[in-house]
């Protein structure tokens, strides 16, 4: 396992601009707001006749996915194409890594193709950070999910969806429900929600799906969903990540649904205008009832739409930061 340390030394320029996007942890409220504002400017693009802008024209983006993904990969690919980039989706199942090539060797091979940006998804925490440390200064790295560590673009599309629905972050009480233990999404959400000034963050899960010392992240912990969901403004459900469970952490899915699945009865305990979110893919009848997932308080499809806009924002901002860094290096070399 890679051990990421002090990510902001590597993901920000000396001027505090984004050059990689590895984690939401430690980023300023101003920078997170800039990402949201930039994403907002891209939201309406899907309704336009020409769905492209030239911000990454002439750039090559490589989607380097070591884990299976449909939603995240497709939205990153679409975002890059809407920025006019050339896009390569690396099929890991047929890549040289399956023949024993190391991550670093794979990276160096792709680097020799003069790629400009790597979008990385990997089962090991810290993989995106590791790659960012080993690319040249003119290459940007975007974390599309690493182990249990972080999924920063998912968190930011969730923040954009909340801002669209609620306007301000400060008055809100937000509940995150489900498999907190294995969720990189939850960690990135918590860091972003705290930085953006949400009044109260609650995590709701059985003890077996709660990380040790989770309260040190500034959240309130509930093992009783009927208490935890009471009077919240936003309910963020999580997927049960059974592929990451090494032992039986639940009596059964039906028991989990009975105690922690979001039904209309449980949602009635939240505020009357509370909204429901889920990063997907959703497991109906395990994490959430169909009546809730398809109901008028569900923002699940808005999250998917916003995923494209947020990824366009992050990719364009990171490439801008890298371009300025490269220009500064060239200027320093000439002076």
């Amino acid at each position: 396992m890679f051990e990421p340390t002090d990510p902001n030394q590597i993901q920000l320029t000396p001027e505090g601009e984004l050059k990689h996007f590895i984690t939401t942890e430690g980023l300023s409220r101003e920078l997170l707001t800039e990402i949201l504002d930039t994403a907002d400017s891209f939201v309406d693009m899907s309704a336009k006749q020409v769905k492209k802008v030239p911000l990454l024209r002439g750039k090559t983006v490589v989607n380097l996915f070591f884990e299976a993904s449909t939603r995240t990969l497709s939205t990153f690919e679409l975002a890059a194409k809407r920025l006019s980039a050339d896009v390569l989706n690396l099929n890991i199942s047929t890549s040289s890594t399956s023949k024993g090539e190391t991550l670093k060797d794979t990276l160096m091979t792709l680097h020799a193709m003069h790629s400009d940006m790597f979008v990385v998804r990997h089962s090991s925490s810290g993989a995106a950070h590791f790659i960012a440390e080993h690319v040249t200064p003119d290459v940007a790295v975007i974390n599309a999910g690493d182990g249990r560590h972080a999924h920063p673009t998912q968190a930011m599309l969730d923040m954009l969806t909340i801002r669209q629905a609620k306007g301000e972050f400060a008055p809100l009480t937000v509940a995150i429900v489900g498999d907190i233990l294995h969720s990189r999404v939850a960690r990135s959400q918590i860091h972003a929600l705290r930085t953006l000034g949400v009044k109260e963050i609650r995590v709701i899960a059985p003890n077996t799906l709660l990380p040790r010392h989770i309260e040190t992240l500034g959240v309130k912990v509930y093992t009783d969903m009927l208490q935890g969901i009471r009077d919240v403004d936003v309910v963020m459900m999580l997927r049960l990540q059974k592929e990451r469970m090494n032992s039986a952490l639940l009596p059964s899915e039906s028991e989990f649904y009975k105690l922690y699945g979001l039904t209309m009865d449980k949602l009635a305990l939240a505020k009357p205008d509370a909204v429901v979110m889920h990063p997907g893919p959703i497991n109906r009848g395990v994490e959430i009832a169909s009546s809730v997932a398809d109901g008028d308080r569900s923002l699940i499809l808005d999250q998917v739409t916003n995923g494209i806009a947020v990824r366009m924002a992050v990719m364009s901002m990171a490439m801008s930061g890298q371009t300025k860094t490269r220009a500064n290096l060239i200027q320093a070399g000439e002076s």
Side-chain angles (χ1 to χ4, degrees):
M1 173 183 285
F2 309 115
E3 292 294 341
T5 55
D6 200 5
N8 286 331
Q9 284 188 358
I10 196 166
Q11 70 176 351
L12 300 179
T13 68
E15 295 76 26
E17 298 177 347
L18 208 62
K19 62 177 182 177
H20 304 292
F21 194 35
I22 309 298
T23 175
T24 55
E25 183 178 5
L27 295 182
S28 67
R29 183 180 299 190
E30 290 74 19
L31 186 52
L32 295 187
T33 302
E34 182 183 352
I35 292 173
L36 297 180
D37 291 344
T38 305
D40 247 341
S41 71
F42 292 129
V43 166
D44 293 334
M45 180 169 290
S46 59
K48 295 182 178 179
Q49 189 171 7
V50 178
K51 301 179 178 61
K52 282 201 173 189
V53 291
L55 293 174
L56 294 190
R57 179 179 293 163
K59 304 294 184 183
T60 301
V61 174
V62 177
N63 288 323
L64 193 56
F65 276 53
F66 293 85
E67 277 190 329
S69 169
T70 300
R71 185 184 314 245
T72 303
L73 175 60
S74 58
T75 54
F76 264 112
E77 180 179 359
L78 194 53
K81 289 180 175 177
R82 287 187 176 177
L83 292 167
S84 304
D86 297 317
V87 182
L88 171 64
N89 292 330
L90 188 65
N91 188 340
I92 298 302
S93 63
T94 59
S95 76
S96 294
T97 57
S98 63
K99 303 173 185 174
E101 187 176 73
T102 67
L103 174 60
K104 188 174 180 181
D105 285 338
T106 299
L107 174 66
M108 292 301 106
T109 300
L110 293 167
H111 206 294
M113 300 177 188
H114 302 288
S115 304
D116 299 289
M117 178 178 291
F118 293 124
V119 179
V120 181
R121 188 181 184 95
H122 201 285
S123 60
S124 294
S125 298
H129 186 114
F130 173 85
I131 291 174
E133 284 183 323
H134 288 85
V135 295
T136 55
D138 56 343
V139 176
V141 176
I142 309 296
N143 185 2
D146 63 327
R148 301 181 184 181
H149 173 234
H151 197 348
T153 58
Q154 176 67 47
M156 292 311 297
L157 73 88
D158 293 338
M159 298 305 109
L160 180 63
T161 306
I162 291 173
R163 192 171 79 166
Q164 289 171 342
K166 296 294 183 182
E168 299 293 328
F169 288 100
L172 301 180
T173 298
V174 177
I176 304 173
V177 186
D179 188 358
I180 311 292
L181 178 64
H182 301 99
S183 179
R184 53 197 176 202
V185 174
R187 286 165 180 75
S188 292
Q189 288 171 336
I190 290 168
H191 291 307
L193 287 167
R194 286 196 64 196
T195 301
L196 291 168
V198 164
K199 181 178 68 178
E200 183 175 323
I201 307 168
R202 303 177 185 178
V203 295
I204 306 171
N207 278 319
T208 52
L209 293 182
L210 285 168
R212 295 178 63 188
H213 311 303
I214 183 69
E215 65 279 0
T216 61
L217 296 181
V219 301
K220 290 188 176 181
V221 179
Y222 291 82
T223 55
D224 184 334
M225 187 169 179
L226 300 184
Q227 293 181 6
I229 201 173
R230 195 174 296 277
D231 296 326
V232 302
D233 300 280
V234 180
V235 185
M236 307 174 84
M237 302 301 297
L238 298 174
R239 183 176 68 85
L240 276 182
Q241 300 192 33
K242 290 179 285 187
E243 72 276 13
R244 300 185 192 280
M245 296 182 187
N246 297 322
S247 59
L249 299 177
L250 298 169
S252 66
E253 290 185 353
S254 59
E255 183 71 8
F256 178 83
Y257 181 65
K258 178 181 177 182
L259 296 175
Y260 296 97
L262 186 60
T263 61
M264 293 300 287
D265 288 343
K266 293 192 186 81
L267 184 58
L269 298 172
K271 288 184 179 176
D273 61 346
V275 294
V276 176
M277 302 168 66
H278 191 304
I282 63 174
N283 292 312
R284 295 170 184 263
V286 177
E287 300 136 12
I288 191 167
S290 289
S291 57
V292 177
D294 301 330
D296 58 5
R297 294 158 74 177
S298 171
L299 302 179
I300 294 172
L301 293 181
D302 297 88
Q303 291 174 267
V304 178
T305 301
N306 286 335
I308 300 170
V310 162
R311 282 154 186 152
M312 289 177 71
V314 168
M315 295 168 91
S316 60
M317 289 171 64
M319 188 56 69
S320 175
Q322 287 291 19
T323 300
K324 291 179 181 176
T325 298
R326 181 173 50 185
N328 290 337
L329 288 172
I330 292 173
Q331 187 176 24
E334 291 176 346
S335 62

